[in-house]
Each structure stands twice: as structure tokens, then as C-alpha cells.
Amino acid sequence: MAVADAPMNLTKAAHVGISVSDLDASIAFYQALTGRAPVAEGTMSSVPFGRTQGLPVAKLRYATINLDGLGIDLIQFQDPVGERTEGRANRPGSMHLCLKVDDFDAVYRRMKDAGYDFLGDDYTFIAGEVTPEAALGTKVAYFNDPDGTNLEIIQPKGGFAN
């Protein structure tokens, strides 16, 4: 992989794309999670677009749910259908989407009461386990969407995780 000598200065995110196995189930999940309906839904079938993805063709259904400052593109590939990644957090290439909350304890409790299955206990960053010091007191919890995509809720402290 070539790395440029000068930075590319890519500093603004537009959207995150998440491949899903059942678009309707994923729309329901993310709509319940965010309280927002899709702003766009559709289909696409294209050889040229498929090639942009490194695929021979791309036949897909999609929906976009907009958050403040970031879109979530949910994409169900119908041809070619891919295999589930089982994207555990420690596997290179896996990713997670972090959602910022203002009242962690209230959101975490509401999610638990609604049946969200967290991967482990919630966690508050403490001295001796994290740097920088600005992160102390940050609260996090991790869970998965229906296809196993890693998701996180966070209530940052100080200037951490803007």
C-alpha cells in the first residue's frame, strides 16, 4: 500500500456504509435505535458500480438514515450475496460505529429495558487504564446490530471523542 508524503486532509465524514442481510429488519433496528426514518430508499443494479466495489456487478437494496452530521447507509447486496463477517472487535478490518449520548445512564437503562443485548458490562474509563487524562470518566457500552456490526454508545468527558 502506497502512502502519500503529504496528508490528504480528509477531515469530514459523509456517511458510513453497513452491509446487511435483511434490509427491512435493519431499517427497523436502526429506526428504533435512532428515532429517525430513512431519508432515502431504493435499488441499484449496475456493472460499473459493482466494479467500484471490486465486484463483477452490484445488485442491491439500500436505505439511508441521517444522524446529525453523519449518514448511515444500510446496503443489502442481492447479487453477489456476501458471507457474514462475524466482525468481532479484535479482528483486523472490523469496525464499529459510535453513537454519542448526553445521559449515558438513562440511555443505557432504556436500551437494557428494551431488550438490547450488550456484549459486556458498561465501562467508565479510570485512571491507570486510559490516556489521555481528558478521557477519565468517559462511559461506553458495546452491542451489535442484527448482522453483528459492532456499535457503541459513549458519553465522553472533556475533549475526548468529540
Side-chain angles (χ1 to χ4, degrees):
M1 175 172 84
V3 178
D5 291 335
M8 298 294 122
N9 296 319
L10 303 176
T11 61
K12 293 183 181 178
H15 67 268
V16 60
I18 301 174
S19 293
V20 302
S21 62
D22 181 336
L23 183 63
D24 299 318
S26 292
I27 289 171
F29 177 86
Y30 282 93
Q31 192 166 346
L33 186 66
T34 65
R36 298 192 177 176
V39 296
E41 292 184 61
T43 60
M44 178 182 277
S45 183
S46 171
V47 169
F49 181 73
R51 289 185 182 145
T52 70
Q53 304 287 311
L55 301 169
V57 66
K59 181 179 178 185
L60 54 90
R61 293 177 60 218
Y62 68 89
T64 299
I65 294 176
N66 281 342
L67 304 181
D68 297 342
L70 182 71
I72 300 174
D73 288 352
L74 304 172
I75 307 162
Q76 179 183 350
F77 282 86
Q78 297 172 309
D79 184 25
V81 174
E83 295 178 22
R84 190 174 166 147
T85 63
E86 301 295 340
R88 299 193 195 285
N90 65 336
R91 293 187 179 175
S94 70
M95 54 79 64
H96 73 268
L97 173 61
C98 182
L99 303 165
K100 190 174 180 179
V101 300
D102 292 326
D103 186 342
F104 181 90
D105 295 329
V107 171
Y108 183 75
R109 187 172 39 258
R110 276 197 332 265
M111 290 178 71
K112 292 280 280 186
D113 290 347
Y116 286 84
D117 188 17
F118 286 91
L119 299 175
D121 295 333
D122 61 314
Y123 179 75
T124 302
F125 293 175
I126 58 174
E129 292 187 354
V130 66
T131 57
E133 293 292 315
L136 296 179
T138 294
K139 296 179 178 185
V140 298
Y142 296 87
F143 58 105
N144 288 338
D145 78 359
D147 287 300
T149 300
N150 294 312
L151 302 173
E152 173 187 5
I153 56 171
I154 188 170
Q155 182 179 354
K157 293 292 182 187
F160 184 70
N162 289 327

